[in-house]
Amino acid sequence: MICTILKIAILGLTDALGIWAIVGLGVAGNWFLLATLIIGMGLLNLALLSRRAYPLRYLIPGLIFFGAMVVYPILYNVSIAFTNYSTGHFLSKEQAIAHFQRQYYLPENTESFSYQAFRSAQGDLILILSSRTTGALYLAMEGHLTLLDPKDPRLLYENNQIKAFEGVPPLSTRELVQNLNRLEKLALPYDEGVVRLASLREFKVYKPRYQYDPDKDTLTDLLSGKVYVPKEGSFTSEDGESLDPGFRVYVGLTNFVRIFSNRQITGPFFRVFRWTFLWAFLSVATTFCLGLALAILLNNPYLRFRYLYRTLLIIPYAVPGFISLLVWRGLLNTNFGVVNQILNSLFHIRIPWLQEAFWAKMALVLVNLWLGYPYMMIVCLGALQSIPSELFEAAYVDGANRWQQFKKITLPLLLISIAPLLVGSFAFNFNNFNVIYLLTEGGPPIPGTQTSAGATDILISYVYKLAFASGRGQEYGFAAAVSIIIFLIVGTISALNFRFTKSLERMSEGL
Amino acid sequence: MYRRPGGLTKLFYHAIVWAMIAFAVFPVVWIALASLNPSNSLYTSGIPKKIVWEHYVELFSNPHHPFGLWLWNSVKVAGISSLFIVFLSALAAYAFSRFRFWGRRTGLLALLLIQMFPQMLAMVALYLLLLNLGRYIPWLGLNTHAGLILVYLGGALGFNTWLMKGYFDTIPHELEESALIDGATPFQAFVRIILPLARPILAVVYILSFIGIYSEFILASILLTGTKAYTFPVGLRLFITGQYSTRWGTFAAASILGAIPIMLVFLSLQRFLVSGLTRGAVKG
Amino acid sequence: MRKFGLAVLPVLLMGMLGLGSVPGKLIVWCDETRAPIMQELAEQFTAKYGVPVEIQELGFGDIRDRLGIAGPAGEGPDILIGAHDWLGQLVANGLLEPLDFMADIKDQFVPVAVEAFSYGETIYGLPYATEAIALIYNKDLVPEPPATFEELIEIAKELTDPEAGQYGFLSNIPQPDPYHSFPFISAFGGYVFGKSMDGTLNPCDIGLDKIGALQGVELILRLVNEGVLPPDCDYATMTGLFNEGRAGMILTGPWAVGDIRKAGINFGIAKIPTMAGNTPRPFVGVQGFMLSAFSENKALAKVFLEEFVATKDTMLALYQRDPRNPAYLAALEEVSSDPVVQAFAASAADGVPMPSIPEMAGVWVAWGDALQLIVTQQQDPASALKDAVARIRETIGCPGL
């Protein structure tokens, strides 16, 4: 009874908070967060109030984080794929316009002023500017410049220097520095320009460089007179000159079209895809076999020191990947690496590990085996526990030998719980950027091609090269689009694999 | 499944394992040697001519690089995240295993498939997310460990859930059914009966999550902006992303020390990987 | 309900403080080499003017990329310290604020340093160090540095004994490292990007497959063929072996000197030997201070830079911590009695600033791949370079081929 009351109270409180936040977001116009919040609130209420949606209560906590940390980045990624987010187009249009509006230039022979600042009774800053050209004095107050008579009674002189204004002494250099923020925001209209802070000790007359006309959506360079119109994310003039920085715009399917029409991509696509597939398959196959073999070996209660062995064998997993990969890279150096030095002293051969395509692939598979077998070993160790021992007792009594026991009992039951993991491992290695990039960087390069796809590039590392190491660099929009395509590929393969493993699951339900 | 092996077979088993251990440990031994080598290089010499401890000392004597703090941060973040991940995952796995509801099959499949999306641009998205979150709730924003933990919790649902579900599936329903008949709620059955029996798989998921989060540096490096808040891999990267200034000696020493927490976690949780699940629990 | 709202309000307000540029406080991004000295400077500045300065340490390679995300989001720094070749991407994205005070004080700096940090007429950085590679040699193995490359090859041949693990000459060009290969290319008149009429670089005029580059690369190949350059040496191996006294000569820059000194090697530095009578012109890299366009404290930052950083004392202090040649003339004079400084300055005097336009991003990898194919004898220099340039032109989007 108390539980129900508590449940309703908490739900009520969260609902109230939620509504308050929804109203706030609605007022602020933050539609994305608003929608998410409404969906979240709806699900929460459904879960806690409906009897039929009882299982939802178990799923909601995980789903919240899944939604925020996995789904949201994917949605973000998808939205970027339709923009031109890349070098030269980082900013939003407003930010780009603001950038141009902040530009001032110094006209020829511009007038400069020395100044002193005073604090008024209300805490505002009052400035007295002295023109270096004409010697005239000006008073800057509340955003206006007014001519000041040197004999103004508010001024107090000492040795021909202004000692105080309205009884207040000027700010010291130290205080000026602390107030620079306010000083630099001043833009006092003067003549045809604006008087602004030029450095710590002087003001100068500036003129704005650009003018933006929001009605006609044009940017005019006041110095040269050129008019720029926004086109494809940059302000472009009639003669084709475009200004940096540009801004992000939606470009529809341009990035996707580029994927299919760009020779840099379509050329090596099948070769890279083939290797990606092979690589993912080999990764899973080798690590699983070794991991399983070790797990069976180490699960044997008659093997002494097996806890020690297990601990030693997961050492590859204990050292962070990027460290081990860098170390392996050094170990596999053809002339100077230890592996080859050992091989040389034993067999008098030096294998060009990272320099020839075939050996580079071998190296990748081997190093990945080293990195990945502990994971498989741990998982298999855990899953082996779930096989009831009576099955083995019964099989032994029936006269089955160890290999038959393995084939008929261990493997099928293991695969039921592990098969999806294998599929997942396949997908993970399909996109395993880290290992490829840190060990071979996708190399060695292939002679005679005019694309940047190396011999061991997988789809994702190739995309990285195309997006960040070519053209003007940092082509996020393009990379996002290709990520979606890669996802479709790997998702389809995995979905098919899952259908295949479903049949395994059905097989077990008869047990 | 196992019979007492004969003497020769036992020797054979031990030999295989030692061969594997050599393969596994060899690069790490190399790192260890480099950490004791006075020169700052990684692989030009084998056994160092003299053994020095200066790299290890250097690690702890730089106030700008609080290595001990970094290790602690990593352990803290990984430890707490893994705990939550195990719990969240187990909750969901229980639902997928025991309840039959609309969207059960497809839901699980969807969870797995969605996680296969390439994470290249996830960093920018998550950076903005934490940035905005931090504007409303400062202790959950950028450069906070709480915020980082939240991000890692996104990985709770997924393969961990499937692993656990598979394990839960093998726990006979009869165990809870008797409890339910006796008036327990499904949640109580979950906590009192299923969880204790599922210790092996909980331990496995904890270990895997811990190791994964402990070594994670991509998200951590972009979401943590202050040196004091860095986790171990992020701090380590400071040593090697300098222009041409890789300090291999210090780097190696840090790597060796950094591997210790993981080994400790594994050692302590290893005993849960034992069988004994349903031996004799179900009679008839 | 209202009480709850009131309770939340301070939390919200606190939230708005954020971590990025905050009015009245300076945030500086730098890497771990410069952080300690910047910390001291920060304290001095705060003591003098009462303005807090916070130093945030990032990996050197991360600073530029992070600025692109953090700056527009309002979380960026005010000042950052980095390399001049970042200018291309940063200016193209509107991330940097021009340093107008530099126009008045630019005579206080080495000219090529100011040029490197300029884009057209606008100066975007306050340079503090220049670097270029030179020949570093082990005086015990090589008493007199070679003046020509022919001499170098002879000396190297005598010294090289792979069985004993001793090498006469090592270079990490085969890594591949195009940066270190540029002196070969420039010696014969090669270039990366040509200049257009107004003095800026023309990204579609690529000189890597022209005759100058070809001759340079052929010399590199010759070094490999004559057994003088191991075709897979990388940076760590090169410096590692040199620091163990097992390499006679290496080609690299001032960043390596610290470790060499620590290893106790009796070393000397010389200009890169001439090649067929031509002077090699290495890339000159310049490190400097830049101002973020999204800073809330631009005037304050400029004061910090002009009053504090652009002084002889600060420049000298930076030099102590990071032994690259100062770009500030007064500081350079002060330390030029150091032969190391002299030698690197001589090398840099012949040098060419590294191109900083964003199109450089596509050049490094293609160039590196070509080098690797050439050095491992998988493709002849002419066609490898041609392929590389075709690739670059295609990704940049140059018209025709």
Side-chain angles (χ1 to χ4, degrees), chain A residues 102 104 115-118 123-129 138-145 171 176 179-190 193-199 202-206, chain C residues 296 299:
Chain A
R102 280 198 303 254
Y104 288 90
Y115 74 100
Q116 286 171 305
F118 303 86
D124 303 324
L125 285 179
I126 301 176
L127 303 177
I128 295 187
L129 296 140
Y138 296 87
L139 186 68
M141 206 159 68
E142 287 161 14
H144 301 296
L145 261 185
L171 263 52
L176 277 180
N179 282 291
L180 274 177
N181 295 89
R182 299 163 70 177
L183 287 175
E184 70 173 327
K185 289 197 171 56
L186 291 174
L188 307 156
Y190 178 82
V194 182
V195 170
R196 293 174 66 238
L197 186 74
S199 73
E202 60 181 1
F203 275 71
K204 282 189 184 164
V205 181
Y206 286 84
Chain C
E296 304 271 342

Short mmCIF file of all heavy atoms in Angstrom, two decimals, chain A residues 102 104 115-118 123-129 138-145 171 176 179-190 193-199 202-206, chain C residues 296 299:
data_model
loop_
_atom_site.label_atom_id
_atom_site.label_comp_id
_atom_site.label_asym_id
_atom_site.label_seq_id
_atom_site.Cartn_x
_atom_site.Cartn_y
_atom_site.Cartn_z
N ARG A 102 31.69 42.44 -37.33
CA ARG A 102 32.66 42.84 -36.33
C ARG A 102 33.91 43.43 -36.96
O ARG A 102 34.80 43.89 -36.26
CB ARG A 102 33.10 41.63 -35.50
CG ARG A 102 32.17 41.23 -34.41
CD ARG A 102 32.91 40.34 -33.44
NE ARG A 102 33.49 39.18 -34.09
CZ ARG A 102 33.02 37.95 -33.99
NH1 ARG A 102 31.94 37.73 -33.28
NH2 ARG A 102 33.61 36.95 -34.60
N TYR A 104 36.32 45.91 -38.64
CA TYR A 104 36.49 47.34 -38.87
C TYR A 104 37.81 47.53 -39.58
O TYR A 104 38.71 46.71 -39.50
CB TYR A 104 36.54 48.09 -37.54
CG TYR A 104 35.21 48.17 -36.84
CD1 TYR A 104 34.83 47.20 -35.94
CD2 TYR A 104 34.36 49.24 -37.08
CE1 TYR A 104 33.62 47.27 -35.29
CE2 TYR A 104 33.14 49.32 -36.43
CZ TYR A 104 32.78 48.34 -35.54
OH TYR A 104 31.58 48.41 -34.90
N TYR A 115 43.47 58.63 -23.85
CA TYR A 115 42.26 58.76 -23.05
C TYR A 115 42.52 58.52 -21.58
O TYR A 115 43.56 57.98 -21.21
CB TYR A 115 41.19 57.79 -23.54
CG TYR A 115 41.48 56.35 -23.16
CD1 TYR A 115 40.84 55.75 -22.08
CD2 TYR A 115 42.40 55.60 -23.88
CE1 TYR A 115 41.12 54.44 -21.73
CE2 TYR A 115 42.68 54.29 -23.53
CZ TYR A 115 42.03 53.72 -22.46
OH TYR A 115 42.32 52.43 -22.12
N GLN A 116 41.54 58.96 -20.80
CA GLN A 116 41.53 58.61 -19.38
C GLN A 116 40.12 58.20 -19.04
O GLN A 116 39.16 58.74 -19.58
CB GLN A 116 41.95 59.80 -18.52
CG GLN A 116 43.43 60.08 -18.60
CD GLN A 116 43.77 61.38 -17.91
OE1 GLN A 116 43.20 62.41 -18.23
NE2 GLN A 116 44.68 61.33 -16.97
N ALA A 117 40.02 57.26 -18.13
CA ALA A 117 38.69 56.79 -17.74
C ALA A 117 38.39 57.16 -16.32
O ALA A 117 39.27 57.18 -15.47
CB ALA A 117 38.63 55.27 -17.93
N PHE A 118 37.11 57.47 -16.07
CA PHE A 118 36.68 57.82 -14.72
C PHE A 118 35.43 57.03 -14.38
O PHE A 118 34.62 56.74 -15.25
CB PHE A 118 36.35 59.32 -14.63
CG PHE A 118 37.50 60.19 -15.04
CD1 PHE A 118 37.71 60.52 -16.37
CD2 PHE A 118 38.39 60.68 -14.09
CE1 PHE A 118 38.76 61.31 -16.76
CE2 PHE A 118 39.45 61.48 -14.47
CZ PHE A 118 39.65 61.80 -15.81
N GLY A 123 28.60 54.07 -11.26
CA GLY A 123 29.46 52.93 -11.62
C GLY A 123 29.74 52.84 -13.10
O GLY A 123 30.46 51.96 -13.54
N ASP A 124 29.17 53.75 -13.91
CA ASP A 124 29.47 53.72 -15.34
C ASP A 124 30.86 54.28 -15.58
O ASP A 124 31.43 54.96 -14.74
CB ASP A 124 28.48 54.57 -16.13
CG ASP A 124 27.05 54.13 -15.88
OD1 ASP A 124 26.87 52.91 -15.74
OD2 ASP A 124 26.18 54.99 -15.82
N LEU A 125 31.33 54.01 -16.78
CA LEU A 125 32.65 54.53 -17.14
C LEU A 125 32.48 55.79 -17.99
O LEU A 125 31.72 55.79 -18.96
CB LEU A 125 33.44 53.50 -17.93
CG LEU A 125 34.02 52.36 -17.11
CD1 LEU A 125 34.76 51.42 -18.03
CD2 LEU A 125 34.94 52.88 -16.04
N ILE A 126 33.16 56.82 -17.61
CA ILE A 126 33.16 58.05 -18.40
C ILE A 126 34.57 58.24 -18.92
O ILE A 126 35.55 58.10 -18.18
CB ILE A 126 32.76 59.26 -17.54
CG1 ILE A 126 31.38 59.01 -16.96
CG2 ILE A 126 32.82 60.54 -18.34
CD1 ILE A 126 30.94 60.09 -16.01
N LEU A 127 34.69 58.56 -20.19
CA LEU A 127 36.02 58.72 -20.77
C LEU A 127 36.24 60.15 -21.22
O LEU A 127 35.31 60.81 -21.68
CB LEU A 127 36.18 57.82 -22.00
CG LEU A 127 35.95 56.34 -21.79
CD1 LEU A 127 36.07 55.61 -23.11
CD2 LEU A 127 36.94 55.77 -20.81
N ILE A 128 37.47 60.57 -21.07
CA ILE A 128 37.86 61.84 -21.65
C ILE A 128 38.93 61.54 -22.68
O ILE A 128 39.99 60.99 -22.37
CB ILE A 128 38.38 62.82 -20.59
CG1 ILE A 128 37.25 63.16 -19.63
CG2 ILE A 128 38.94 64.05 -21.25
CD1 ILE A 128 37.60 64.23 -18.64
N LEU A 129 38.60 61.86 -23.93
CA LEU A 129 39.52 61.53 -25.02
C LEU A 129 40.21 62.80 -25.49
O LEU A 129 39.59 63.85 -25.61
CB LEU A 129 38.75 60.93 -26.19
CG LEU A 129 38.09 59.60 -25.85
CD1 LEU A 129 36.73 59.51 -26.46
CD2 LEU A 129 38.96 58.48 -26.36
N TYR A 138 37.30 65.45 -25.82
CA TYR A 138 35.94 64.95 -25.97
C TYR A 138 35.53 64.20 -24.72
O TYR A 138 36.35 63.59 -24.04
CB TYR A 138 35.84 63.99 -27.16
CG TYR A 138 36.12 64.64 -28.48
CD1 TYR A 138 37.44 64.73 -28.94
CD2 TYR A 138 35.11 65.18 -29.25
CE1 TYR A 138 37.71 65.33 -30.16
CE2 TYR A 138 35.38 65.78 -30.47
CZ TYR A 138 36.67 65.85 -30.92
OH TYR A 138 36.95 66.45 -32.12
N LEU A 139 34.22 64.28 -24.48
CA LEU A 139 33.69 63.54 -23.35
C LEU A 139 32.87 62.38 -23.90
O LEU A 139 32.02 62.57 -24.76
CB LEU A 139 32.79 64.48 -22.52
CG LEU A 139 32.26 63.89 -21.23
CD1 LEU A 139 33.39 63.68 -20.24
CD2 LEU A 139 31.21 64.82 -20.63
N ALA A 140 33.18 61.18 -23.42
CA ALA A 140 32.42 60.02 -23.86
C ALA A 140 31.57 59.54 -22.70
O ALA A 140 32.07 59.09 -21.69
CB ALA A 140 33.36 58.91 -24.30
N MET A 141 30.26 59.70 -22.88
CA MET A 141 29.36 59.33 -21.80
C MET A 141 28.12 58.75 -22.41
O MET A 141 27.56 59.32 -23.34
CB MET A 141 29.02 60.59 -20.99
CG MET A 141 28.64 60.31 -19.57
SD MET A 141 28.82 61.73 -18.49
CE MET A 141 27.55 62.80 -19.09
N GLU A 142 27.67 57.61 -21.88
CA GLU A 142 26.44 56.97 -22.36
C GLU A 142 26.43 56.79 -23.87
O GLU A 142 25.44 57.00 -24.53
CB GLU A 142 25.21 57.79 -21.95
CG GLU A 142 24.91 57.68 -20.46
CD GLU A 142 24.04 58.80 -20.00
OE1 GLU A 142 23.47 59.50 -20.85
OE2 GLU A 142 23.92 58.99 -18.78
N GLY A 143 27.56 56.41 -24.39
CA GLY A 143 27.61 56.08 -25.81
C GLY A 143 27.69 57.26 -26.75
O GLY A 143 27.60 57.08 -27.96
N HIS A 144 27.85 58.47 -26.22
CA HIS A 144 27.97 59.62 -27.13
C HIS A 144 29.27 60.35 -26.90
O HIS A 144 29.78 60.41 -25.78
CB HIS A 144 26.83 60.61 -26.89
CG HIS A 144 25.49 60.00 -27.10
ND1 HIS A 144 25.06 59.53 -28.31
CD2 HIS A 144 24.48 59.78 -26.23
CE1 HIS A 144 23.85 59.05 -28.19
NE2 HIS A 144 23.47 59.18 -26.94
N LEU A 145 29.74 60.96 -27.96
CA LEU A 145 30.94 61.80 -27.86
C LEU A 145 30.49 63.25 -27.94
O LEU A 145 29.79 63.64 -28.86
CB LEU A 145 31.87 61.53 -29.05
CG LEU A 145 33.05 60.60 -28.83
CD1 LEU A 145 33.87 60.57 -30.10
CD2 LEU A 145 33.90 61.04 -27.68
N LEU A 171 41.17 56.19 -13.67
CA LEU A 171 41.48 54.80 -13.38
C LEU A 171 42.95 54.53 -13.65
O LEU A 171 43.53 55.05 -14.59
CB LEU A 171 40.64 53.86 -14.27
CG LEU A 171 39.36 53.28 -13.68
CD1 LEU A 171 38.48 54.37 -13.11
CD2 LEU A 171 38.61 52.51 -14.71
N LEU A 176 42.22 49.85 -15.53
CA LEU A 176 41.82 49.88 -16.93
C LEU A 176 41.80 48.47 -17.51
O LEU A 176 40.88 48.06 -18.20
CB LEU A 176 42.81 50.74 -17.75
CG LEU A 176 42.57 52.24 -17.72
CD1 LEU A 176 43.63 52.92 -18.56
CD2 LEU A 176 41.19 52.58 -18.21
N ASN A 179 38.94 46.54 -16.72
CA ASN A 179 37.69 46.97 -17.33
C ASN A 179 37.73 46.96 -18.84
O ASN A 179 36.87 47.54 -19.49
CB ASN A 179 37.36 48.38 -16.85
CG ASN A 179 36.79 48.35 -15.45
OD1 ASN A 179 35.69 47.87 -15.26
ND2 ASN A 179 37.56 48.82 -14.51
N LEU A 180 38.72 46.32 -19.39
CA LEU A 180 38.88 46.33 -20.84
C LEU A 180 37.64 45.82 -21.55
O LEU A 180 37.33 46.25 -22.65
CB LEU A 180 40.10 45.51 -21.25
CG LEU A 180 41.40 46.27 -21.24
CD1 LEU A 180 42.55 45.35 -21.58
CD2 LEU A 180 41.35 47.42 -22.21
N ASN A 181 36.97 44.84 -20.95
CA ASN A 181 35.79 44.30 -21.60
C ASN A 181 34.76 45.38 -21.90
O ASN A 181 34.19 45.44 -22.97
CB ASN A 181 35.13 43.25 -20.73
CG ASN A 181 36.01 42.07 -20.57
OD1 ASN A 181 36.82 42.03 -19.67
ND2 ASN A 181 35.91 41.14 -21.48
N ARG A 182 34.55 46.21 -20.90
CA ARG A 182 33.55 47.26 -21.12
C ARG A 182 34.08 48.28 -22.12
O ARG A 182 33.35 48.79 -22.96
CB ARG A 182 33.22 47.93 -19.80
CG ARG A 182 32.65 46.93 -18.80
CD ARG A 182 32.70 47.45 -17.40
NE ARG A 182 31.74 48.53 -17.22
CZ ARG A 182 31.54 49.12 -16.04
NH1 ARG A 182 32.24 48.74 -14.98
NH2 ARG A 182 30.68 50.10 -15.92
N LEU A 183 35.36 48.58 -22.02
CA LEU A 183 35.92 49.58 -22.90
C LEU A 183 35.86 49.14 -24.36
O LEU A 183 35.60 49.94 -25.25
CB LEU A 183 37.37 49.88 -22.51
CG LEU A 183 37.54 50.68 -21.23
CD1 LEU A 183 39.01 50.80 -20.87
CD2 LEU A 183 36.91 52.03 -21.36
N GLU A 184 36.13 47.84 -24.58
CA GLU A 184 36.19 47.43 -25.98
C GLU A 184 34.82 47.34 -26.62
O GLU A 184 34.70 47.30 -27.83
CB GLU A 184 36.94 46.11 -26.14
CG GLU A 184 36.24 44.89 -25.61
CD GLU A 184 37.00 43.63 -25.97
OE1 GLU A 184 37.62 43.58 -27.04
OE2 GLU A 184 36.97 42.68 -25.18
N LYS A 185 33.77 47.35 -25.80
CA LYS A 185 32.45 47.29 -26.39
C LYS A 185 31.97 48.66 -26.86
O LYS A 185 30.96 48.77 -27.53
CB LYS A 185 31.46 46.74 -25.37
CG LYS A 185 31.65 45.26 -25.10
CD LYS A 185 30.43 44.66 -24.43
CE LYS A 185 30.49 43.15 -24.35
NZ LYS A 185 31.68 42.62 -23.69
N LEU A 186 32.72 49.72 -26.47
CA LEU A 186 32.29 51.06 -26.85
C LEU A 186 32.48 51.29 -28.33
O LEU A 186 33.52 50.95 -28.89
CB LEU A 186 33.11 52.10 -26.07
CG LEU A 186 32.83 52.18 -24.58
CD1 LEU A 186 33.81 53.13 -23.91
CD2 LEU A 186 31.41 52.63 -24.32
N ALA A 187 31.47 51.87 -28.94
CA ALA A 187 31.58 52.24 -30.35
C ALA A 187 30.92 53.59 -30.48
O ALA A 187 29.70 53.70 -30.63
CB ALA A 187 30.90 51.20 -31.23
N LEU A 188 31.73 54.63 -30.39
CA LEU A 188 31.16 55.98 -30.31
C LEU A 188 31.11 56.59 -31.70
O LEU A 188 32.11 56.72 -32.38
CB LEU A 188 32.05 56.84 -29.40
CG LEU A 188 32.29 56.21 -28.03
CD1 LEU A 188 33.56 56.73 -27.40
CD2 LEU A 188 31.11 56.49 -27.13
N PRO A 189 29.94 56.99 -32.13
CA PRO A 189 29.84 57.57 -33.47
C PRO A 189 30.62 58.89 -33.54
O PRO A 189 30.57 59.70 -32.62
CB PRO A 189 28.33 57.84 -33.63
CG PRO A 189 27.66 57.12 -32.54
CD PRO A 189 28.65 56.93 -31.44
N TYR A 190 31.34 59.03 -34.63
CA TYR A 190 32.20 60.21 -34.79
C TYR A 190 32.43 60.42 -36.27
O TYR A 190 32.84 59.50 -36.98
CB TYR A 190 33.52 59.95 -34.07
CG TYR A 190 34.54 61.05 -34.19
CD1 TYR A 190 34.48 62.16 -33.35
CD2 TYR A 190 35.57 60.97 -35.13
CE1 TYR A 190 35.43 63.17 -33.45
CE2 TYR A 190 36.52 61.98 -35.22
CZ TYR A 190 36.44 63.07 -34.38
OH TYR A 190 37.38 64.06 -34.48
N GLY A 193 32.82 57.74 -39.01
CA GLY A 193 33.25 56.42 -38.53
C GLY A 193 32.85 56.21 -37.09
O GLY A 193 31.91 56.81 -36.58
N VAL A 194 33.60 55.37 -36.43
CA VAL A 194 33.30 55.01 -35.05
C VAL A 194 34.60 55.06 -34.27
O VAL A 194 35.63 54.61 -34.75
CB VAL A 194 32.74 53.57 -35.01
CG1 VAL A 194 32.37 53.20 -33.59
CG2 VAL A 194 31.55 53.43 -35.91
N VAL A 195 34.54 55.62 -33.07
CA VAL A 195 35.73 55.65 -32.22
C VAL A 195 35.72 54.39 -31.35
O VAL A 195 34.77 54.14 -30.62
CB VAL A 195 35.72 56.92 -31.34
CG1 VAL A 195 36.83 56.83 -30.31
CG2 VAL A 195 35.92 58.14 -32.21
N ARG A 196 36.77 53.60 -31.45
CA ARG A 196 36.83 52.35 -30.69
C ARG A 196 38.18 52.20 -30.04
O ARG A 196 39.16 52.85 -30.42
CB ARG A 196 36.61 51.17 -31.64
CG ARG A 196 35.23 51.10 -32.22
CD ARG A 196 35.14 49.99 -33.25
NE ARG A 196 35.30 48.68 -32.65
CZ ARG A 196 36.24 47.83 -33.01
NH1 ARG A 196 37.09 48.13 -33.94
NH2 ARG A 196 36.31 46.65 -32.43
N LEU A 197 38.24 51.31 -29.08
CA LEU A 197 39.48 51.03 -28.39
C LEU A 197 40.45 50.37 -29.36
O LEU A 197 40.13 49.37 -29.99
CB LEU A 197 39.20 50.10 -27.21
CG LEU A 197 40.39 49.82 -26.28
CD1 LEU A 197 40.65 51.04 -25.43
CD2 LEU A 197 40.09 48.63 -25.39
N ALA A 198 41.61 50.95 -29.51
CA ALA A 198 42.60 50.37 -30.43
C ALA A 198 43.63 49.57 -29.67
O ALA A 198 44.09 48.54 -30.12
CB ALA A 198 43.28 51.47 -31.22
N SER A 199 44.02 50.03 -28.51
CA SER A 199 44.95 49.29 -27.66
C SER A 199 44.75 49.81 -26.26
O SER A 199 43.88 50.64 -26.02
CB SER A 199 46.38 49.49 -28.13
OG SER A 199 46.80 50.79 -27.79
N GLU A 202 45.07 53.78 -26.36
CA GLU A 202 44.46 54.75 -27.26
C GLU A 202 43.20 54.25 -27.93
O GLU A 202 42.94 53.06 -28.03
CB GLU A 202 45.46 55.20 -28.32
CG GLU A 202 45.99 54.09 -29.18
CD GLU A 202 47.00 54.63 -30.19
OE1 GLU A 202 47.27 55.85 -30.18
OE2 GLU A 202 47.48 53.85 -30.98
N PHE A 203 42.43 55.23 -28.37
CA PHE A 203 41.26 54.98 -29.18
C PHE A 203 41.55 55.49 -30.57
O PHE A 203 42.30 56.42 -30.76
CB PHE A 203 40.04 55.76 -28.62
CG PHE A 203 39.32 55.04 -27.52
CD1 PHE A 203 39.91 54.92 -26.27
CD2 PHE A 203 38.07 54.50 -27.73
CE1 PHE A 203 39.25 54.26 -25.24
CE2 PHE A 203 37.40 53.85 -26.70
CZ PHE A 203 37.99 53.73 -25.46
N LYS A 204 40.91 54.83 -31.55
CA LYS A 204 41.11 55.33 -32.91
C LYS A 204 39.77 55.38 -33.61
O LYS A 204 38.80 54.77 -33.18
CB LYS A 204 42.03 54.38 -33.68
CG LYS A 204 43.49 54.53 -33.34
CD LYS A 204 44.36 53.72 -34.30
CE LYS A 204 45.82 53.81 -33.89
NZ LYS A 204 46.66 52.81 -34.49
N VAL A 205 39.76 56.11 -34.72
CA VAL A 205 38.53 56.16 -35.50
C VAL A 205 38.57 55.02 -36.50
O VAL A 205 39.49 54.90 -37.31
CB VAL A 205 38.42 57.50 -36.26
CG1 VAL A 205 37.13 57.52 -37.05
CG2 VAL A 205 38.47 58.65 -35.29
N TYR A 206 37.56 54.18 -36.44
CA TYR A 206 37.48 53.04 -37.36
C TYR A 206 36.27 53.21 -38.25
O TYR A 206 35.35 53.96 -37.94
CB TYR A 206 37.29 51.74 -36.59
CG TYR A 206 38.51 51.23 -35.88
CD1 TYR A 206 38.84 51.70 -34.61
CD2 TYR A 206 39.31 50.26 -36.45
CE1 TYR A 206 39.95 51.23 -33.95
CE2 TYR A 206 40.41 49.76 -35.78
CZ TYR A 206 40.73 50.25 -34.54
OH TYR A 206 41.81 49.77 -33.88
N GLU C 296 35.65 36.50 -25.45
CA GLU C 296 34.91 37.63 -24.89
C GLU C 296 35.86 38.69 -24.38
O GLU C 296 35.44 39.70 -23.84
CB GLU C 296 34.05 37.15 -23.72
CG GLU C 296 33.10 36.03 -24.05
CD GLU C 296 31.77 36.55 -24.53
OE1 GLU C 296 31.49 37.73 -24.27
OE2 GLU C 296 31.02 35.81 -25.16
N ALA C 299 40.28 42.57 -26.16
CA ALA C 299 41.20 43.65 -25.81
C ALA C 299 42.13 43.21 -24.71
O ALA C 299 43.33 43.48 -24.72
CB ALA C 299 40.40 44.88 -25.39
#
